[in-house]
Amino acid sequence: MIYVSEGLLYVCFAILTGTFILRLMPEDRRPNVQVPNGLLLACAIAIPILSYVPIHKLALVFAKDFDMTYGSILKSILLDINTGKAWIWTTIGSAGLAFLLGLKAFRDDKHMPKVALFVTFLLIVWLGYAGHASALYGFKGLVTHAAHFLAVSVWIGILFVTSWFSKDNAHWHAFLRWFSPVAIACVLVTLIAGFVLMTFTTPEYVNAWMLPYGQMLLIKHLLILPLLLFAYTNGFGYKKWADSSTSFNPKPWLKAESIIALLVLAATGVLGQQAPPHNVKETLQTASPSPLFTAIYKGSFSPDIALKFTLPLESILMLAAAAVMAGGLVWMYRVNKVIPAFAMGLLTAVFGYFGLMFAIA
Protein backbone atom coordinates (compact mmCIF):
# COMPACT_ATOMS: atom_id res chain seq x y z
CA MET A 1 0.00 0.00 0.00
CA ILE A 2 2.75 2.45 0.93
CA TYR A 3 4.54 1.89 -2.40
CA VAL A 4 1.32 2.44 -4.34
CA SER A 5 0.60 5.67 -2.47
CA GLU A 6 4.10 6.98 -3.14
CA GLY A 7 3.84 6.21 -6.85
CA LEU A 8 0.43 7.89 -7.08
CA LEU A 9 1.83 10.90 -5.23
CA TYR A 10 4.46 11.38 -7.94
CA VAL A 11 1.81 11.02 -10.65
CA CYS A 12 -0.28 13.76 -9.00
CA PHE A 13 2.70 16.11 -8.99
CA ALA A 14 3.44 15.30 -12.63
CA ILE A 15 -0.15 16.00 -13.74
CA LEU A 16 -0.31 19.32 -11.88
CA THR A 17 3.11 20.50 -13.06
CA GLY A 18 2.58 19.47 -16.68
CA THR A 19 -0.88 21.01 -16.88
CA PHE A 20 0.08 24.40 -15.44
CA ILE A 21 3.18 24.68 -17.64
CA LEU A 22 1.18 23.86 -20.78
CA ARG A 23 -1.44 26.45 -19.85
CA LEU A 24 1.31 29.07 -19.71
CA MET A 25 2.24 28.36 -23.32
CA PRO A 26 0.49 30.16 -26.21
CA GLU A 27 -2.15 28.06 -27.95
CA ASP A 28 -0.21 28.07 -31.22
CA ARG A 29 2.75 26.37 -29.51
CA ARG A 30 0.97 23.35 -28.11
CA PRO A 31 -1.79 20.92 -29.04
CA ASN A 32 -5.28 21.43 -27.63
CA VAL A 33 -4.87 19.95 -24.16
CA GLN A 34 -7.94 19.64 -21.94
CA VAL A 35 -7.29 18.28 -18.45
CA PRO A 36 -10.54 18.03 -16.45
CA ASN A 37 -10.61 20.51 -13.58
CA GLY A 38 -11.97 17.72 -11.40
CA LEU A 39 -8.77 15.74 -11.97
CA LEU A 40 -6.59 18.71 -11.01
CA LEU A 41 -8.66 19.25 -7.88
CA ALA A 42 -8.43 15.55 -7.04
CA CYS A 43 -4.63 15.66 -7.43
CA ALA A 44 -4.35 18.65 -5.11
CA ILE A 45 -6.53 16.95 -2.48
CA ALA A 46 -4.73 13.62 -2.87
CA ILE A 47 -1.22 15.00 -2.24
CA PRO A 48 -1.55 15.40 1.57
CA ILE A 49 -3.55 12.18 1.83
CA LEU A 50 -0.99 10.12 -0.08
CA SER A 51 1.97 11.74 1.69
CA TYR A 52 0.36 10.91 5.05
CA VAL A 53 0.55 7.15 4.41
CA PRO A 54 4.27 6.78 5.37
CA ILE A 55 3.69 8.99 8.43
CA HIS A 56 0.81 6.73 9.48
CA LYS A 57 3.01 3.66 9.06
CA LEU A 58 5.82 5.27 11.04
CA ALA A 59 3.42 6.23 13.85
CA LEU A 60 2.08 2.67 14.06
CA VAL A 61 5.60 1.21 14.30
CA PHE A 62 6.78 3.70 16.93
CA ALA A 63 3.59 3.35 18.97
CA LYS A 64 4.13 -0.41 19.11
CA ASP A 65 7.87 -0.23 19.81
CA PHE A 66 7.63 2.42 22.56
CA ASP A 67 4.27 1.32 23.98
CA MET A 68 2.74 4.75 23.45
CA THR A 69 -0.55 5.91 22.00
CA TYR A 70 -0.88 6.59 18.28
CA GLY A 71 -1.87 10.20 18.96
CA SER A 72 1.15 11.04 21.12
CA ILE A 73 3.55 9.48 18.62
CA LEU A 74 1.86 11.27 15.73
CA LYS A 75 2.15 14.61 17.53
CA SER A 76 5.87 14.02 18.07
CA ILE A 77 6.39 13.12 14.40
CA LEU A 78 4.54 16.18 13.13
CA LEU A 79 6.34 18.60 15.45
CA ASP A 80 9.85 17.14 15.72
CA ILE A 81 10.70 15.24 12.51
CA ASN A 82 11.32 16.79 9.07
CA THR A 83 8.83 14.43 7.46
CA GLY A 84 6.07 15.56 9.81
CA LYS A 85 6.88 19.26 9.52
CA ALA A 86 6.93 18.98 5.73
CA TRP A 87 3.56 17.22 5.79
CA ILE A 88 1.98 20.10 7.74
CA TRP A 89 3.18 22.65 5.18
CA THR A 90 2.20 20.33 2.34
CA THR A 91 -1.33 20.06 3.73
CA ILE A 92 -1.62 23.84 4.02
CA GLY A 93 -0.29 24.39 0.49
CA SER A 94 -2.45 21.64 -1.02
CA ALA A 95 -5.56 22.96 0.75
CA GLY A 96 -4.87 26.43 -0.63
CA LEU A 97 -4.33 25.07 -4.14
CA ALA A 98 -7.50 22.94 -3.94
CA PHE A 99 -9.48 25.98 -2.75
CA LEU A 100 -8.25 28.08 -5.66
CA LEU A 101 -8.90 25.32 -8.20
CA GLY A 102 -12.43 25.03 -6.85
CA LEU A 103 -13.13 28.69 -7.66
CA LYS A 104 -14.45 29.16 -11.19
CA ALA A 105 -13.23 32.76 -11.25
CA PHE A 106 -9.69 31.57 -10.49
CA ARG A 107 -9.79 28.71 -13.01
CA ASP A 108 -10.65 31.16 -15.76
CA ASP A 109 -8.15 33.84 -14.70
CA LYS A 110 -5.14 34.34 -16.97
CA HIS A 111 -2.80 34.37 -13.95
CA MET A 112 -4.11 31.05 -12.65
CA PRO A 113 -1.32 28.85 -14.14
CA LYS A 114 1.40 31.09 -12.66
CA VAL A 115 -0.04 31.04 -9.14
CA ALA A 116 -0.86 27.34 -9.26
CA LEU A 117 2.57 26.44 -10.62
CA PHE A 118 4.25 28.46 -7.86
CA VAL A 119 2.27 26.62 -5.17
CA THR A 120 3.13 23.29 -6.82
CA PHE A 121 6.80 24.29 -6.78
CA LEU A 122 6.55 24.95 -3.02
CA LEU A 123 4.97 21.53 -2.55
CA ILE A 124 7.91 19.97 -4.40
CA VAL A 125 10.35 21.82 -2.12
CA TRP A 126 8.55 20.49 0.95
CA LEU A 127 8.65 16.99 -0.51
CA GLY A 128 12.42 17.40 -0.82
CA TYR A 129 12.58 18.62 2.79
CA ALA A 130 10.92 15.38 3.90
CA GLY A 131 13.40 13.17 2.00
CA HIS A 132 16.36 11.13 3.19
CA ALA A 133 18.91 13.49 1.61
CA SER A 134 17.57 16.53 3.45
CA ALA A 135 17.54 14.70 6.78
CA LEU A 136 21.16 13.59 6.32
CA TYR A 137 22.77 16.53 4.52
CA GLY A 138 20.56 19.52 5.32
CA PHE A 139 20.20 22.28 2.75
CA LYS A 140 22.49 20.57 0.22
CA GLY A 141 20.36 17.44 0.33
CA LEU A 142 17.14 19.47 0.13
CA VAL A 143 18.26 21.38 -2.98
CA THR A 144 19.49 18.23 -4.72
CA HIS A 145 16.36 16.21 -3.99
CA ALA A 146 14.01 19.08 -4.90
CA ALA A 147 15.88 19.80 -8.15
CA HIS A 148 15.78 16.12 -9.09
CA PHE A 149 12.06 15.80 -8.47
CA LEU A 150 11.22 19.16 -10.08
CA ALA A 151 13.04 18.18 -13.29
CA VAL A 152 11.26 14.82 -13.35
CA SER A 153 7.86 16.46 -12.73
CA VAL A 154 8.36 19.00 -15.53
CA TRP A 155 9.61 16.47 -18.09
CA ILE A 156 7.25 13.60 -17.34
CA GLY A 157 4.37 15.92 -16.44
CA ILE A 158 4.33 17.68 -19.82
CA LEU A 159 4.84 14.35 -21.57
CA PHE A 160 2.02 12.62 -19.67
CA VAL A 161 -0.52 15.45 -19.99
CA THR A 162 0.21 16.00 -23.69
CA SER A 163 0.04 12.33 -24.65
CA TRP A 164 -3.15 11.46 -22.73
CA PHE A 165 -5.16 14.71 -22.69
CA SER A 166 -4.50 16.35 -26.07
CA LYS A 167 -7.57 16.49 -28.30
CA ASP A 168 -5.82 16.93 -31.64
CA ASN A 169 -2.46 16.77 -33.41
CA ALA A 170 -2.25 20.49 -34.13
CA HIS A 171 0.97 22.44 -33.57
CA TRP A 172 3.11 19.35 -32.87
CA HIS A 173 6.10 20.87 -34.67
CA ALA A 174 5.79 24.07 -32.65
CA PHE A 175 5.29 22.08 -29.46
CA LEU A 176 8.38 19.94 -29.99
CA ARG A 177 10.50 22.98 -30.84
CA TRP A 178 10.28 24.13 -27.21
CA PHE A 179 9.54 20.85 -25.45
CA SER A 180 12.59 19.01 -26.83
CA PRO A 181 15.16 21.43 -25.33
CA VAL A 182 13.13 21.60 -22.10
CA ALA A 183 13.13 17.80 -21.93
CA ILE A 184 16.88 17.66 -22.60
CA ALA A 185 17.54 20.19 -19.83
CA CYS A 186 15.31 18.24 -17.44
CA VAL A 187 17.06 14.97 -18.30
CA LEU A 188 20.47 16.54 -17.61
CA VAL A 189 19.31 17.98 -14.28
CA THR A 190 17.69 14.65 -13.37
CA LEU A 191 20.85 12.68 -14.15
CA ILE A 192 23.23 15.10 -12.41
CA ALA A 193 21.04 15.45 -9.32
CA GLY A 194 20.43 11.69 -9.34
CA PHE A 195 24.15 10.95 -9.30
CA VAL A 196 24.66 13.44 -6.46
CA LEU A 197 21.81 11.84 -4.51
CA MET A 198 23.45 8.45 -5.00
CA THR A 199 26.65 9.73 -3.39
CA PHE A 200 24.49 10.75 -0.43
CA THR A 201 22.36 7.65 -0.10
CA THR A 202 24.14 4.80 -1.93
CA PRO A 203 27.91 5.31 -2.00
CA GLU A 204 28.44 1.55 -2.54
CA TYR A 205 26.31 1.32 -5.68
CA VAL A 206 27.29 -2.16 -6.90
CA ASN A 207 27.47 -3.75 -3.45
CA ALA A 208 24.01 -2.31 -2.76
CA TRP A 209 22.63 -4.72 -5.38
CA MET A 210 22.69 -7.32 -2.60
CA LEU A 211 19.87 -5.39 -0.91
CA PRO A 212 16.27 -4.69 -2.01
CA TYR A 213 17.04 -0.94 -2.21
CA GLY A 214 19.99 -1.52 -4.52
CA GLN A 215 18.01 -3.91 -6.72
CA MET A 216 15.19 -1.39 -7.14
CA LEU A 217 17.70 1.38 -7.87
CA LEU A 218 19.28 -0.77 -10.57
CA ILE A 219 15.87 -1.57 -12.09
CA LYS A 220 14.99 2.14 -12.09
CA HIS A 221 18.22 3.03 -13.87
CA LEU A 222 17.68 0.32 -16.48
CA LEU A 223 14.13 1.53 -17.13
CA ILE A 224 15.57 4.98 -17.81
CA LEU A 225 17.40 3.53 -20.85
CA PRO A 226 14.25 2.81 -22.94
CA LEU A 227 12.74 6.04 -21.63
CA LEU A 228 15.68 7.98 -23.05
CA LEU A 229 15.43 6.06 -26.33
CA PHE A 230 11.76 7.00 -26.66
CA ALA A 231 12.59 10.59 -25.73
CA TYR A 232 15.29 10.66 -28.41
CA THR A 233 13.06 9.28 -31.15
CA ASN A 234 10.08 11.44 -30.20
CA GLY A 235 12.24 14.54 -29.83
CA PHE A 236 14.53 14.21 -32.85
CA GLY A 237 12.93 11.67 -35.17
CA TYR A 238 9.38 12.99 -35.22
CA LYS A 239 9.75 15.71 -37.86
CA LYS A 240 11.64 13.47 -40.27
CA TRP A 241 9.20 10.58 -40.11
CA ALA A 242 6.12 12.80 -40.02
CA ASP A 243 7.30 14.51 -43.22
CA SER A 244 7.84 11.17 -44.93
CA SER A 245 4.53 9.62 -43.81
CA THR A 246 1.23 11.47 -43.71
CA SER A 247 -0.23 8.71 -41.51
CA PHE A 248 2.33 9.21 -38.76
CA ASN A 249 0.61 9.97 -35.43
CA PRO A 250 2.91 11.03 -32.55
CA LYS A 251 0.41 10.47 -29.74
CA PRO A 252 0.77 6.66 -29.46
CA TRP A 253 4.55 7.11 -29.25
CA LEU A 254 4.25 9.72 -26.53
CA LYS A 255 1.83 7.44 -24.67
CA ALA A 256 4.34 4.58 -24.86
CA GLU A 257 7.04 6.90 -23.54
CA SER A 258 4.74 8.06 -20.74
CA ILE A 259 4.01 4.46 -19.67
CA ILE A 260 7.75 3.78 -19.37
CA ALA A 261 8.00 7.03 -17.40
CA LEU A 262 5.26 5.83 -15.04
CA LEU A 263 7.26 2.65 -14.42
CA VAL A 264 10.25 4.81 -13.52
CA LEU A 265 8.04 6.82 -11.14
CA ALA A 266 6.78 3.57 -9.60
CA ALA A 267 10.36 2.44 -8.97
CA THR A 268 11.13 5.87 -7.49
CA GLY A 269 8.13 5.50 -5.20
CA VAL A 270 9.43 2.19 -3.89
CA LEU A 271 12.88 3.71 -3.28
CA GLY A 272 11.34 6.65 -1.43
CA GLN A 273 9.96 4.31 1.23
CA GLN A 274 13.06 2.20 1.80
CA ALA A 275 16.03 3.12 3.98
CA PRO A 276 19.09 3.72 1.75
CA PRO A 277 22.09 1.50 2.58
CA HIS A 278 24.88 3.93 3.49
CA ASN A 279 27.02 0.98 4.57
CA VAL A 280 26.05 -2.28 2.87
CA LYS A 281 28.00 -4.54 5.22
CA GLU A 282 26.42 -3.01 8.31
CA THR A 283 22.96 -3.08 6.74
CA LEU A 284 23.29 -6.80 5.98
CA GLN A 285 23.91 -7.47 9.67
CA THR A 286 20.28 -6.59 10.41
CA ALA A 287 18.52 -6.88 7.03
CA SER A 288 18.02 -9.79 4.65
CA PRO A 289 19.54 -9.70 1.16
CA SER A 290 17.30 -9.21 -1.83
CA PRO A 291 15.56 -12.43 -2.96
CA LEU A 292 16.23 -11.35 -6.56
CA PHE A 293 19.95 -11.11 -5.85
CA THR A 294 20.21 -14.45 -4.03
CA ALA A 295 18.21 -16.19 -6.78
CA ILE A 296 20.59 -15.00 -9.53
CA TYR A 297 23.97 -14.70 -7.79
CA LYS A 298 26.08 -17.77 -8.47
CA GLY A 299 28.69 -17.26 -5.76
CA SER A 300 28.55 -18.05 -2.07
CA PHE A 301 26.76 -15.21 -0.30
CA SER A 302 27.93 -13.67 2.95
CA PRO A 303 27.50 -10.14 4.37
CA ASP A 304 31.25 -9.56 4.01
CA ILE A 305 31.57 -10.08 0.25
CA ALA A 306 32.46 -7.23 -2.11
CA LEU A 307 30.95 -7.61 -5.57
CA LYS A 308 33.14 -7.20 -8.64
CA PHE A 309 32.55 -7.35 -12.38
CA THR A 310 33.55 -10.13 -14.73
CA LEU A 311 32.47 -10.77 -18.32
CA PRO A 312 31.29 -14.38 -18.69
CA LEU A 313 29.71 -15.48 -21.95
CA GLU A 314 26.13 -15.34 -20.63
CA SER A 315 26.64 -11.74 -19.52
CA ILE A 316 28.03 -10.74 -22.92
CA LEU A 317 25.09 -12.41 -24.69
CA MET A 318 22.53 -10.68 -22.48
CA LEU A 319 24.13 -7.26 -22.94
CA ALA A 320 24.31 -7.88 -26.70
CA ALA A 321 20.61 -8.79 -26.67
CA ALA A 322 19.88 -5.54 -24.81
CA ALA A 323 21.79 -3.58 -27.46
CA VAL A 324 19.83 -5.36 -30.23
CA MET A 325 16.53 -4.51 -28.51
CA ALA A 326 17.60 -0.87 -28.16
CA GLY A 327 18.44 -0.72 -31.86
CA GLY A 328 15.17 -2.48 -32.67
CA LEU A 329 13.23 0.18 -30.76
CA VAL A 330 14.71 2.92 -32.93
CA TRP A 331 14.03 0.88 -36.07
CA MET A 332 10.40 0.27 -35.05
CA TYR A 333 10.00 4.01 -34.75
CA ARG A 334 11.12 4.38 -38.34
CA VAL A 335 8.50 1.90 -39.54
CA ASN A 336 5.87 3.28 -37.12
CA LYS A 337 5.29 0.10 -35.05
CA VAL A 338 4.64 1.34 -31.54
CA ILE A 339 3.69 -1.91 -29.75
CA PRO A 340 6.80 -3.84 -30.87
CA ALA A 341 8.89 -0.78 -29.96
CA PHE A 342 7.35 -0.68 -26.48
CA ALA A 343 8.05 -4.39 -25.98
CA MET A 344 11.63 -3.92 -27.17
CA GLY A 345 12.06 -1.06 -24.74
CA LEU A 346 11.05 -3.26 -21.82
CA LEU A 347 13.26 -6.08 -23.10
CA THR A 348 16.19 -3.65 -23.26
CA ALA A 349 15.83 -3.19 -19.51
CA VAL A 350 15.24 -6.90 -18.84
CA PHE A 351 18.24 -8.12 -20.87
CA GLY A 352 20.38 -5.32 -19.45
CA TYR A 353 19.42 -6.40 -15.93
CA PHE A 354 20.42 -10.02 -16.46
CA GLY A 355 23.56 -8.96 -18.30
CA LEU A 356 24.71 -6.94 -15.31
CA MET A 357 23.63 -9.48 -12.72
CA PHE A 358 25.41 -12.31 -14.56
CA ALA A 359 28.55 -10.15 -14.66
CA ILE A 360 28.98 -9.85 -10.89
CA ALA A 361 31.08 -12.27 -8.91
Side-chain angles (χ1 to χ4, degrees):
M1 174 61 185
I2 193 170
Y3 297 141
V4 174
S5 67
E6 194 77 1
L8 290 175
L9 177 65
Y10 296 157
V11 172
C12 289
F13 272 106
I15 291 174
L16 291 172
T17 305
T19 300
F20 299 144
I21 290 176
L22 284 168
R23 290 187 179 181
L24 284 173
M25 300 304 299
E27 293 184 359
D28 62 349
R29 301 188 67 185
R30 58 175 173 84
N32 179 21
V33 176
Q34 296 180 10
V35 182
N37 287 317
L39 177 60
L40 298 177
L41 184 60
C43 288
I45 294 173
I47 285 175
I49 297 174
L50 294 171
S51 56
Y52 181 75
V53 173
I55 294 177
H56 170 69
K57 180 183 177 183
L58 189 63
L60 289 177
V61 172
F62 283 176
K64 181 179 179 180
D65 291 345
F66 296 103
D67 195 23
M68 297 175 65
T69 64
Y70 178 88
S72 60
I73 287 292
L74 180 62
K75 179 181 177 181
S76 178
I77 292 174
L78 295 180
L79 297 179
D80 301 328
I81 299 178
N82 283 5
T83 302
K85 296 175 184 177
W87 183 80
I88 293 175
W89 287 107
T90 296
T91 302
I92 295 172
S94 297
L97 180 60
F99 175 76
L100 291 174
L101 290 173
L103 296 176
K104 188 177 187 303
F106 178 75
R107 291 199 304 266
D108 297 335
D109 190 274
K110 65 178 182 178
H111 298 295
M112 173 271 191
K114 301 175 185 176
V115 176
L117 189 60
F118 176 72
V119 176
T120 305
F121 171 74
L122 292 179
L123 294 176
I124 289 174
V125 172
W126 291 326
L127 181 76
Y129 181 70
H132 298 303
S134 177
L136 293 171
Y137 295 95
F139 183 72
K140 181 170 63 174
L142 164 63
V143 171
T144 306
H145 190 171
H148 182 268
F149 188 62
L150 177 62
V152 170
S153 297
V154 171
W155 172 29
I156 295 179
I158 296 174
L159 169 69
F160 185 82
V161 170
T162 304
S163 59
W164 292 97
F165 295 99
S166 61
K167 300 301 180 181
D168 54 40
N169 294 332
H171 313 303
W172 279 101
H173 288 291
F175 166 71
L176 288 176
R177 271 199 298 271
W178 66 264
F179 176 61
S180 292
V182 167
I184 291 171
C186 288
V187 168
L188 291 175
V189 172
T190 300
L191 293 177
I192 294 171
F195 281 124
V196 174
L197 283 174
M198 280 175 51
T199 64
F200 294 162
T201 60
T202 321
E204 301 176 64
Y205 179 65
V206 176
N207 284 337
W209 294 357
M210 292 185 279
L211 294 163
Y213 185 97
Q215 283 287 307
M216 186 53 62
L217 186 61
L218 174 61
I219 291 171
K220 174 187 173 180
H221 290 163
L222 289 170
L223 284 172
I224 290 175
L225 291 176
L227 179 60
L228 292 177
L229 287 172
F230 271 106
Y232 170 78
T233 52
N234 285 330
F236 296 98
Y238 165 71
K239 187 177 185 301
K240 178 180 178 180
W241 306 120
D243 290 342
S244 63
S245 173
T246 57
S247 64
F248 188 88
N249 182 3
K251 285 177 63 176
W253 291 96
L254 291 177
K255 287 181 177 180
E257 183 181 345
S258 70
I259 293 173
I260 300 289
L262 289 178
L263 294 177
V264 174
L265 287 181
T268 304
V270 174
L271 289 171
Q273 295 306 317
Q274 292 185 358
H278 305 290
N279 187 301
V280 174
K281 182 178 178 180
E282 290 181 4
T283 304
L284 284 170
Q285 302 299 324
T286 57
S288 300
S290 165
L292 270 175
F293 172 79
T294 54
I296 298 174
Y297 183 61
K298 295 180 179 181
S300 177
F301 171 77
S302 75
D304 298 327
I305 62 174
L307 301 180
K308 59 183 180 180
F309 278 107
T310 60
L311 273 179
L313 179 61
E314 58 265 36
S315 174
I316 295 173
L317 292 176
M318 284 293 174
L319 293 175
V324 170
M325 290 298 103
L329 188 159
V330 177
W331 179 256
M332 288 298 103
Y333 190 88
R334 295 182 177 183
V335 296
N336 199 16
K337 302 290 184 182
V338 64
I339 294 179
F342 179 78
M344 288 178 176
L346 293 181
L347 288 174
T348 299
V350 171
F351 288 139
Y353 173 81
F354 284 109
L356 291 175
M357 290 302 295
F358 290 161
I360 57 177

